[in-house]
Amino acid sequence: MPFTVRVVTWTIVSFLLLSSPVRACDLSLLLGPKATTEKTVVLVGGYSSGNDIAPALRARGITKIIHIQPSTEVPGPLKVSFKPGDYQQQLVYDGNFAGLLAQLKGQPIDAVLAGSEVSVELADRLAETLGMSGNGTALTSARRNKYEMHQRLKQQGVRSLRDLRTSKLDELLHWVDASDGNQGVYPVVVKPIDGAGTQGFHLCFNKADVIHAYKSLIGTKNMLDLPIDVVLAQEYLDGEEYVVNTVSRDGKHVVGEVWHYHKKRVQRPDGGYSNIYLYDELLAFDSDEAKALIPYAFEVINALGIKQGPGHSEIMMTQRGPVLVETGARLMGGHTFSVAREAIGISPLDLLVKSYLFPAEFYAIHQRGATPLTRHKFVRNVQLLATQTGTIAGVNYTEAQLAAELGSYMGSSMAGVGDTLAPTVDLITSPGAIFLVSDSEQALERDYQHIRRVIEPALFTVRR
């Protein structure tokens, strides 16, 4: 049974930030009995993929869920993914931590969870103060700030990359050429230090590109509505990109998924370069790639102090081995947990619920080894690529038509009538995704080619 999602402002939220609502029939796959409990959960920032946490908790009989908004305003791009009706109590954090604690006083709390990237700091502080299982606050900034993240890896002797954090253009240009910097090697990456998705990502091939990247970032805001007053410069990691999604309890780690990102480089209208994502492929846990990636991912999350809950690690496989791009102490955004359940039988979301609230179930899985799960089916999350500019006047494929033409069709999440369409130059400007799951890898490839040749060119009617 396919699912569908209508995203009101796709170009803002995009595939990375918004995961689809879980179908009711999928919630039975949480691999645990449903029975009403007296447990109380605090969820901080239930945005993006965090909006799936409350339904998963209710599926396990947890009915008392308190939501804490980690700032006075929900960041604009995340508003569409926020579902206030999912919570029994809504609190807003205005910077007064003592006041927040006072509002929670007298309520027996069993777990504090971070729902999204913008809530990691507050969730860490709250869990530590309340004595809940968590990652503590000592390394919170290293889990959020991409520069501090790599400094921590260097301190711990974990393979890392060359990088620089700066607000000054002359310092940036010096680092690119310095022998103790990037050694004059191009291309070089310039991006926001705490952004999301590929927004603000610049691949620079010369000095002029670096200057343009700096000037286009400083003084603007990132996708989370945070001001950009500092940029991050990094060496360009030449290789294939992967994701290792983990869930932990008391420092014991379980790998929930391993993904391979298939991408290609394109030139943007402003003259810069970035990557467009073609499709994400779910790898087998015993594949050669996974065997090389997983031990390194464990080194990374150990170094960053992720001992409780999710870890979402983006890793490049280079000539010198796996090298981290970045890690988030949160669930992966942008894919549906339904897909993982279909292909594996359990998702990182389900493991998250177990790790915080049903630890015996989590330990039972962990005891089978660091990779106790098996991928039973093949998966591709196909990113749609737009070539037109204008307003969408019509979507020319229904769910039934997509299912009829694609034997491996699992569901879709895409822009709709009234949304703005622009040529795809990065992940943010993709107009959607189609999810394919099959017992046959060959069937996936046939359906993928059919999407590119037939469906994608005719998918939208656009009014200029």
Side-chain angles (χ1 to χ4, degrees):
M1 173 181 173
F3 59 88
T4 186
V5 179
R6 168 71 165 88
V7 179
V8 177
T9 315
W10 177 265
T11 55
I12 295 177
V13 179
S14 134
F15 179 78
L16 183 72
L17 288 176
L18 181 63
S19 66
S20 307
V22 181
R23 294 178 295 165
C25 60
D26 287 324
L27 293 177
S28 64
L29 297 175
L30 284 166
L31 302 187
K34 178 177 180 178
T36 301
T37 77
E38 298 301 320
K39 295 179 184 291
T40 298
V41 174
V42 170
L43 177 62
V44 184
Y47 320 135
S48 182
S49 52
N51 69 11
D52 285 309
I53 294 176
L57 293 172
R58 288 197 300 272
R60 291 301 306 265
I62 298 168
T63 58
K64 183 64 181 296
I65 309 170
I66 302 170
H67 182 264
I68 297 177
Q69 188 174 302
S71 58
T72 53
E73 296 290 334
V74 178
L78 300 179
K79 287 180 179 177
V80 70
S81 67
F82 180 42
K83 301 175 183 177
D86 276 347
Y87 310 103
Q88 286 63 55
Q89 186 176 357
Q90 165 79 359
L91 304 177
V92 177
Y93 178 59
D94 61 2
N96 182 352
F97 190 71
L100 180 63
L101 291 177
Q103 293 181 78
L104 294 171
K105 187 176 181 180
Q107 302 192 65
I109 296 170
D110 295 278
V112 177
L113 284 65
S116 56
E117 189 69 24
V118 296
S119 57
V120 169
E121 288 108 327
L122 180 57
D124 281 350
R125 185 180 180 188
L126 195 58
E128 184 175 75
T129 303
L130 296 175
M132 302 284 99
S133 293
N135 295 319
T137 59
L139 294 172
T140 292
S141 60
R143 293 189 287 271
R144 277 285 287 125
N145 183 290
K146 297 179 179 65
Y147 177 77
E148 293 186 25
M149 183 177 295
H150 281 275
Q151 302 321 297
R152 174 66 181 174
L153 296 189
K154 292 178 177 69
Q155 292 169 5
Q156 296 298 301
V158 179
R159 190 182 301 113
S160 183
L161 48 68
R162 302 188 296 270
D163 59 356
L164 171 76
R165 174 181 60 188
T166 184
S167 61
K168 300 177 181 178
L169 179 58
D170 57 352
E171 189 174 36
L172 171 60
L173 294 174
H174 174 77
W175 175 84
V176 172
D177 291 328
S179 59
D180 59 349
N182 207 47
Q183 304 165 9
V185 176
Y186 285 95
V188 62
V189 172
V190 179
K191 62 184 181 180
I193 203 161
D194 54 3
T198 56
Q199 184 248 3
F201 175 95
H202 291 263
L203 188 58
C204 305
F205 289 85
N206 50 51
K207 181 178 179 180
D209 287 348
V210 173
I211 294 171
H212 171 76
Y214 172 87
K215 290 183 176 180
S216 69
L217 291 173
I218 293 292
T220 64
K221 288 187 176 183
N222 68 16
M223 183 159 243
L224 303 176
D225 276 351
L226 300 173
I228 299 176
D229 50 18
V230 174
V231 298
L232 178 65
Q234 296 178 327
E235 71 169 291
Y236 174 70
L237 297 174
D238 190 15
E240 293 293 304
E241 186 174 6
Y242 298 83
V243 163
V244 178
N245 289 325
T246 56
V247 178
S248 307
R249 170 84 188 196
D250 297 328
K252 297 178 173 62
H253 312 309
V254 170
V255 180
E257 297 168 320
V258 182
W259 292 90
H260 181 191
Y261 287 163
H262 293 261
K263 305 179 293 184
K264 72 175 182 179
R265 184 184 302 166
V266 297
Q267 188 169 13
R268 299 194 309 270
D270 64 5
Y273 290 86
S274 57
N275 291 315
I276 60 173
Y277 287 68
L278 303 175
Y279 64 90
D280 309 332
E281 177 187 10
L282 184 65
L283 298 183
F285 295 99
D286 60 354
S287 64
D288 290 341
E289 299 99 320
K291 289 178 180 178
L293 291 162
I294 290 170
Y296 176 75
F298 284 175
E299 286 186 62
V300 167
I301 61 176
N302 284 334
L304 297 177
I306 299 178
K307 54 184 180 291
Q308 174 65 51
H312 167 59
S313 299
E314 298 178 348
I315 301 168
M316 295 293 293
M317 186 65 77
T318 72
Q319 290 186 341
R320 56 190 174 104
V323 181
L324 183 73
V325 177
E326 60 188 73
T327 289
R330 54 166 174 80
L331 292 168
M332 178 178 177
H335 75 291
T336 66
F337 300 113
S338 300
V339 169
R341 294 187 186 113
E342 185 74 16
I344 300 172
I346 191 170
S347 77
L349 172 60
D350 310 332
L351 290 169
L352 168 67
V353 173
K354 292 177 185 297
S355 72
Y356 276 97
L357 296 154
F358 303 95
E361 295 178 20
F362 181 85
Y363 292 141
I365 295 172
H366 177 267
Q367 286 173 0
R368 305 204 305 264
T371 55
L373 308 177
T374 302
R375 186 205 64 184
H376 301 288
K377 296 185 179 183
F378 298 95
V379 175
R380 286 191 188 183
N381 293 342
V382 181
Q383 301 301 306
L384 297 173
L385 309 177
T387 58
Q388 299 167 286
T389 299
T391 301
I392 297 175
V395 179
N396 302 319
Y397 275 82
T398 65
E399 283 288 297
Q401 287 172 313
L402 290 171
E405 293 191 23
L406 302 169
S408 60
Y409 181 74
M410 174 77 180
S412 62
S413 180
M414 65 182 67
V417 174
D419 289 338
T420 300
L421 199 65
T424 300
V425 294
D426 54 20
L427 189 59
I428 305 303
T429 50
S430 165
I434 295 176
F435 308 96
L436 306 177
V437 181
S438 177
D439 294 325
S440 166
E441 194 169 14
Q442 291 72 28
L444 281 190
E445 177 63 21
R446 286 194 302 271
D447 283 352
Y448 174 74
Q449 294 300 331
H450 187 74
I451 290 171
R452 294 294 187 220
R453 292 195 311 264
V454 178
I455 294 175
E456 190 173 64
L459 184 57
F460 300 114
T461 298
V462 178
R463 182 179 66 252
R464 291 184 177 274

